[in-house]
Amino acid sequence: MYSIGPLTVAPGERAEGLIPVGTSSYGVQLGIPLVVVNGTQDGPVLCVDAGVHGDEYDGQEAVRRILADTDPAGLRGTLVGIPCMNTPAFEAAARTSGLDHLNLNRIFPGDAEGSYSQRLAAAFVEQVVPAVDALVDLHTGGTFGEIAPLVILQGGYEDLATDLALAAGHELVWKGGTWGGTVRHPTLAAGKPAITIEAGGGTYRESTVELHVHSVRTIMRRLGMTDGGAEPRDSCTTVSGTFARSTTGGFYLGHAEPGESCKEGDLIARITDHYGNTLEEVRAPRDGIVLWVRRMRTVRPGDEVVIFGEVQGAIRP
Ligand SMILES: [Zn+2]
């Protein structure tokens, strides 16, 4: 038997249910939706989550698709899917929850006595982390922007998570930001490999769903959960990420696409006023790769307009 949160699942069975986090003002139980497929043979427990940011849709559909298409009879170990971690944010069609406006991906391990997002993070740490062996966290660039397909491998945890990162199959590896509090952090701190996979955004696309599905399936083969080859990439390019914020409001015009290589000084984006006058130019601060670009045309002062990646080196298994 496999147990996680409120679910106990026999070998060869599947189940779904909610880890309770709190009750809405109209008396409905809110929480973390879980789908579990328990294989007939022993193996690792892989958790795949999406919807930490409510406006990142492609991963949410990818999780549902992977779980629906996984046959427990052919599975070694257990697959745990969290299709939408942050349901209040999803309902708000927003990155953050309308209940407390906190960015869930900055507040782990949370606080069981705190606001809804803090309780949600604490429930994940208490009930999901101990019940899984590895975590794949699916994101997109969000409603406001689009990101190049890449893996976030938290710096300092290379020994633990590099194999998972290479199995995801993307060329670019971002060694994580300087910030903590992501869903990766408590999982890695518990000694379990955890990565974030980013792709797409701006809108929902089937091609991004398929990209996420493909990465997770390859990781499952790499972990020995399903049959088939899953040789990791020969090498990946590691990048750091710096955020460019606009000093002015205006209309965003992009001159580079996510994943595009740039030379120092290349024009990445322009912000114009309503008359077409250029108010600001965003240029590559050095040679590197454009990781994320804005898709939302409205720019307000201080908004993110570009995430730029400087090439650090390569990882080879
Ligand atoms: Zn995200």
Side-chain angles (χ1 to χ4, degrees), residues 52-53 56 95 105 138-140 198:
V52 165
H53 295 130
E56 299 178 6
R95 182 172 174 84
N105 217 29
L138 301 178
H139 286 247
T140 79
E198 299 268 6

Side-chain angles (χ1 to χ4, degrees), residues 17 40 98 104 110 112 163 195 207 225 278 301:
T40 51
L104 180 59
D163 195 56
I195 57 167
S207 57
M225 299 176 75
T278 297

Side-chain angles (χ1 to χ4, degrees), residues 274-295:
H274 293 303
Y275 307 101
N277 303 302
T278 297
L279 301 177
E280 188 169 344
E281 290 182 342
V282 180
R283 291 184 178 275
R286 53 193 76 84
D287 294 359
I289 297 164
V290 176
L291 302 183
W292 181 97
V293 299
R294 195 171 181 85
R295 290 293 189 217

Side-chain angles (χ1 to χ4, degrees), residues 6 17-21 30-34 82-87 116 119-121 123-125 128:
L18 197 72
I19 294 178
V21 175
L30 303 175
I32 305 171
L34 289 175
I82 301 177
C84 184
M85 184 94 80
N86 194 347
T87 57
Y116 184 84
R119 285 167 193 250
L120 197 171
F124 178 89
V125 172
V128 177

Side-chain angles (χ1 to χ4, degrees), residues 25-257:
S25 59
Y26 42 93
V28 172
Q29 183 66 63
L30 303 175
I32 305 171
L34 289 175
V35 185
V36 175
V37 177
N38 194 9
T40 51
Q41 300 167 64
D42 287 343
V45 181
L46 174 67
C47 179
V48 185
D49 79 85
V52 165
H53 295 130
D55 65 343
E56 299 178 6
Y57 302 113
D58 315 61
Q60 299 180 35
E61 178 59 14
V63 171
R64 281 189 286 272
R65 212 167 279 182
I66 293 157
L67 271 286
D69 291 348
T70 298
D71 179 4
L75 181 66
R76 290 178 286 275
T78 306
L79 190 60
V80 175
I82 301 177
C84 184
M85 184 94 80
N86 194 347
T87 57
F90 172 79
E91 288 182 19
R95 182 172 174 84
T96 60
S97 163
L99 299 178
D100 54 19
H101 305 287
L102 294 175
N103 181 350
L104 180 59
N105 217 29
R106 297 292 181 274
I107 61 169
F108 282 89
D111 177 358
E113 307 286 310
S115 68
Y116 184 84
S117 299
Q118 290 169 324
R119 285 167 193 250
L120 197 171
F124 178 89
V125 172
E126 190 183 315
Q127 298 185 52
V128 177
V129 172
V132 305
D133 298 317
L135 176 73
V136 174
D137 171 45
L138 301 178
H139 286 247
T140 79
T143 306
F144 282 71
E146 181 173 350
I147 193 162
L150 59 84
V151 181
I152 303 181
L153 169 62
Q154 196 64 43
Y157 290 99
E158 289 86 348
D159 289 350
L160 195 55
T162 293
D163 195 56
L164 213 56
L166 293 173
H170 295 315
E171 162 71 25
L172 296 174
V173 172
W174 183 1
K175 284 294 193 78
T178 51
W179 55 86
T182 74
V183 69
R184 297 185 303 278
H185 284 84
T187 314
L188 290 162
K192 300 170 181 195
I195 57 167
T196 293
I197 305 176
E198 299 268 6
T203 185
Y204 173 91
R205 286 195 198 93
E206 276 296 318
S207 57
T208 307
V209 177
E210 285 305 316
L211 213 52
H212 277 327
V213 167
H214 183 261
S215 287
V216 175
R217 288 204 193 295
T218 309
I219 287 167
M220 289 173 68
R221 291 197 296 272
R222 180 70 186 163
L223 293 174
M225 299 176 75
T226 48
D227 289 332
E231 285 307 306
R233 293 184 65 90
D234 289 342
S235 74
C236 291
T237 301
T238 56
V239 292
S240 62
T242 52
F243 295 73
R245 292 181 186 276
S246 175
T247 57
T248 176
F251 191 99
Y252 178 91
L253 286 169
H255 290 264
E257 289 296 301

